[in-house]
Amino acid sequence: MKKPTLALRDWQARIARFRFEDRFRRGRKVKNSNQSRYIVPGEKISAPQFFNLLRGDGREVVKFLRATARAVLVLKKQVVLNFRNTEQFHVPATILLFAEIDRITSLSDLTKPITIREPIRRRPREVMKQIGLHNLTGDNSDVIPEREDVVYWKATKGNSQSGDLYGPLVEAVAAKANKDHVNQIEVAGLWRSVNEAVANSVDHAYKKPRFDNFSGLDETKWWMFSQIREHAFTIAVCDLGCGYRKTINERIPEKFIAFMDSKLMGANRDAIAIDTAMEYGRSGTHEEHRGKGSRDALSLLLKHGQGDLIVLSNTGWMRYSYENNREASRESGSLDIDIGGTIIWWNLPLHRIEHENH
Amino acid sequence: MKTINVANDFTRFPSGRYAQNGDTSGEAFRQRFLEPAIKNREEITIQLDGTIGYGSSFLEEAFGGLVRTLRIPASELFPLLHLDTRDTALLAEVEGYIREASLNL
């Protein structure tokens, strides 16, 4: 190899020095522009990667929601909810997120209590836009939902049992599901079940305050989601009330629930309260003619012949699975943390119509 | 004889029990259509088909509530109240609420 001359080494050194200084200058420029960038005021709270109450992430979801509520409602601070790493939204956790954000923004006196940083991934970003989370916080989102498994997420809410509030939505999603699938959703059965879940929320859920003394918003008592995916129809109703256990105790004595507890060998007591309500109805009125509604929740599964009903209330959950027009299994479980409300979620399998020209 | 079609004359989305919780409730229906007719001992036909469906709270409050409010036993109510529906289960359910409420008079 040819030995470099002194002049060549000097020239190479000058180039290296120039490149180093140039890098340094550029670095400073970037740093300067960062300093002048608008930074949203407030505490930054990171959202969980997975919004799923039932698969071990429930604790993270509830802790995230509680941190948000505490910062905004107790410490009176604006917050930035960072969803950058969020990848998946599961129905019960998403409806709880939607309801809690609505509750917090409704109760807060701050100008813009919550700002959302959207997920990096497109699907969760589309879901957030589709359900209208940005409308609650007053943020903008450029994403246009277009994925097949996102565009049929529909959300609504209300403060009364008036069927006009949610009837058109229930009818529209059922019609869409029935248009494309062989096994039809029985609309009257769907109405009966959803209707009674809403009635339960309005009539019973806010009779007593929940763990943080929240006792309901005047303008919203329930939140509803529906979703059609390729092989399933889902509808969920959520309230942020005191849970089944507090209201059912007025009708069914604590002793009975304790007896059920011993019988079910230490099963979660909120889960036992849900199961008791399914058997006996949920009514705190002592009136014989009332409290039939909880059983109506199961009638949709009977009419559809198959599917799951999952009820989550405070720290417990029950899952009722139907196959071939009869109950196939009944499971209970614990969430290990109080979700601060009740979620009733139906998941009905659908079979797509196979077109002849396929 | 008066004929009331729930879907056309009241709502396609009947829901809930009490009028204070919604204007499509069983109580609102009872007060608007059933009580005036039955109080005057007029025969009335209720056409139940055409709505999206019914919840048990709506039906119980409308028909069972009619028995409780007017203190009219099932034996006197059935000749005045005619239920028109193709859904036999729905018919049996409404009649059941009327009988049950009548037993508790």
Side-chain angles (χ1 to χ4, degrees):
Chain A
M1 198 174 85
K2 195 179 171 186
K3 199 175 175 185
T5 62
L6 200 63
L8 181 62
R9 271 196 284 177
D10 185 44
W11 183 62
Q12 283 174 332
R14 269 191 286 138
I15 288 175
R17 207 163 39 241
F18 172 78
R19 284 179 178 162
F20 173 78
E21 282 169 4
D22 188 47
R23 270 205 301 272
F24 182 71
R25 271 197 302 274
R26 280 197 220 178
R28 280 184 61 188
K29 264 187 195 166
V30 171
K31 199 175 175 188
N32 283 342
S33 70
N34 248 353
Q35 279 169 348
S36 62
R37 198 196 296 167
Y38 172 69
I39 295 168
V40 186
E43 191 175 325
K44 195 188 270 185
I45 303 174
S46 292
Q49 190 177 3
F50 301 104
F51 274 79
N52 190 334
L53 290 175
L54 293 166
R55 284 195 189 156
D57 308 301
R59 205 175 171 81
E60 291 306 308
V61 173
V62 175
K63 276 160 72 178
F64 165 72
L65 295 173
R66 285 191 189 175
T68 308
R70 184 171 183 276
V72 174
L73 301 175
V74 180
L75 305 175
K76 312 277 183 201
K77 279 165 114 181
Q78 291 174 309
V79 292
V80 178
L81 302 186
N82 184 5
F83 288 90
R84 302 295 283 171
N85 297 321
T86 299
E87 290 181 13
Q88 209 177 61
F89 285 112
H90 197 232
V91 172
T94 314
I95 197 170
L96 186 66
L97 167 74
F98 184 74
E100 270 293 327
I101 298 290
D102 193 18
R103 178 185 82 89
I104 294 166
T105 50
S106 301
L107 290 175
S108 174
D109 302 327
L110 302 170
T111 317
K112 188 177 185 307
I114 296 174
T115 299
I116 285 175
R117 286 197 74 195
E118 291 188 305
I120 295 168
R121 287 173 185 253
R122 187 171 172 92
R123 190 182 178 278
R125 217 161 63 227
E126 285 192 17
V127 169
M128 286 173 72
K129 177 72 183 290
Q130 178 70 19
I131 63 175
L133 211 59
H134 298 82
N135 301 338
L136 300 178
T137 58
D139 289 306
N140 292 319
S141 171
D142 295 335
V143 72
I144 298 167
E146 54 192 22
R147 291 176 60 116
E148 181 79 4
D149 56 350
V150 173
V151 291
Y152 296 112
W153 281 75
K154 304 282 177 204
T156 188
K157 58 181 185 170
N159 65 347
S160 78
Q161 298 174 27
S162 176
D164 295 337
L165 284 173
Y166 56 98
L169 178 132
V170 170
E171 195 172 45
V173 288
K176 167 68 189 155
N178 288 344
K179 188 174 153 234
D180 296 339
H181 298 89
V182 181
N183 55 339
Q184 303 277 292
I185 303 282
E186 214 267 336
V187 183
L190 173 64
W191 182 250
R192 170 166 293 234
S193 297
V194 170
N195 185 235
E196 294 302 336
V198 169
N200 254 330
S201 299
V202 176
D203 274 351
H204 305 303
Y206 301 97
K207 280 194 160 167
K208 294 179 175 181
R210 64 176 198 175
F211 68 89
D212 57 0
N213 286 325
F214 172 68
S215 53
L217 298 170
D218 287 340
E219 64 274 25
T220 313
K221 303 278 186 216
W222 52 263
W223 294 260
M224 186 184 292
F225 270 10
S226 64
Q227 183 197 25
I228 304 166
R229 281 178 291 141
E230 196 167 346
H231 300 298
F233 171 83
T234 270
I235 194 156
V237 178
C238 171
D239 67 62
L240 299 178
C242 60
Y244 270 63
R245 196 168 144 199
K246 274 193 182 173
T247 50
I248 205 163
N249 280 353
E250 287 191 355
R251 189 160 186 257
I252 314 279
E254 182 77 10
K255 263 199 265 179
F256 178 79
I257 294 182
F259 165 70
M260 291 283 281
D261 188 9
S262 63
K263 208 174 162 190
L264 293 170
M265 292 198 299
N268 180 289
R269 295 186 82 184
D270 287 309
I272 293 169
I274 298 166
D275 205 27
T276 310
M278 288 297 156
E279 291 289 335
Y280 298 99
R282 179 194 190 188
S283 172
T285 60
H286 300 274
E287 291 173 72
E288 280 299 316
H289 58 276
R290 297 193 57 188
K292 295 171 173 68
S294 301
R295 277 169 280 170
D296 278 348
L298 282 167
S299 67
L300 178 57
L301 296 188
L302 264 174
K303 292 208 170 174
H304 195 66
Q306 56 181 334
D308 294 319
L309 165 68
I310 297 159
V311 184
L312 304 96
S313 187
N314 295 8
T315 64
W317 60 265
M318 287 293 306
R319 182 200 302 267
Y320 303 87
S321 297
Y322 275 61
E323 276 170 31
N324 302 321
N325 299 306
R326 65 163 100 164
E327 188 175 319
S329 68
R330 184 180 292 209
E331 295 170 76
S332 71
S334 174
L335 298 163
D336 297 325
I337 195 162
D338 190 341
I339 60 167
T342 297
I343 300 163
I344 303 179
W345 174 38
W346 294 267
N347 196 25
L348 308 177
L350 297 171
H351 305 294
R352 196 173 269 278
I353 294 169
E354 297 299 333
H355 296 286
E356 281 178 12
N357 56 355
H358 269 212
Chain B
M1 183 166 66
K2 208 183 231 178
T3 299
I4 301 297
N5 182 297
V6 180
N8 295 337
D9 300 325
F10 186 60
T11 178
R12 286 196 54 240
F13 307 111
S15 56
R17 183 177 287 274
Y18 295 125
Q20 66 183 28
N21 291 326
D23 47 10
T24 54
S25 65
E27 185 182 37
F29 178 73
R30 187 189 79 218
Q31 288 172 341
R32 194 163 145 201
F33 296 105
L34 301 180
E35 283 180 24
I38 302 298
K39 251 184 205 167
N40 296 327
R41 294 294 191 263
E42 282 175 35
E43 284 189 51
I44 185 169
T45 299
I46 306 296
Q47 294 175 338
L48 294 164
D49 296 341
T51 67
I52 189 172
Y54 294 91
S56 58
S57 296
F58 177 93
L59 295 174
E60 205 291 324
E61 192 56 43
F63 297 99
L66 184 65
V67 173
R68 285 190 297 276
T69 310
L70 300 184
R71 303 202 60 78
I72 179 169
S75 55
E76 285 179 38
L77 182 58
F78 281 132
L80 299 172
L81 182 69
H82 305 284
L83 300 167
D84 180 4
T85 175
R86 281 170 296 174
D87 186 342
T88 50
L90 178 63
L91 189 66
E93 185 181 357
V94 174
E95 288 176 353
Y97 290 138
I98 292 172
R99 288 201 180 92
E100 205 180 315
S102 184
L103 284 175
N104 293 321
L105 277 181

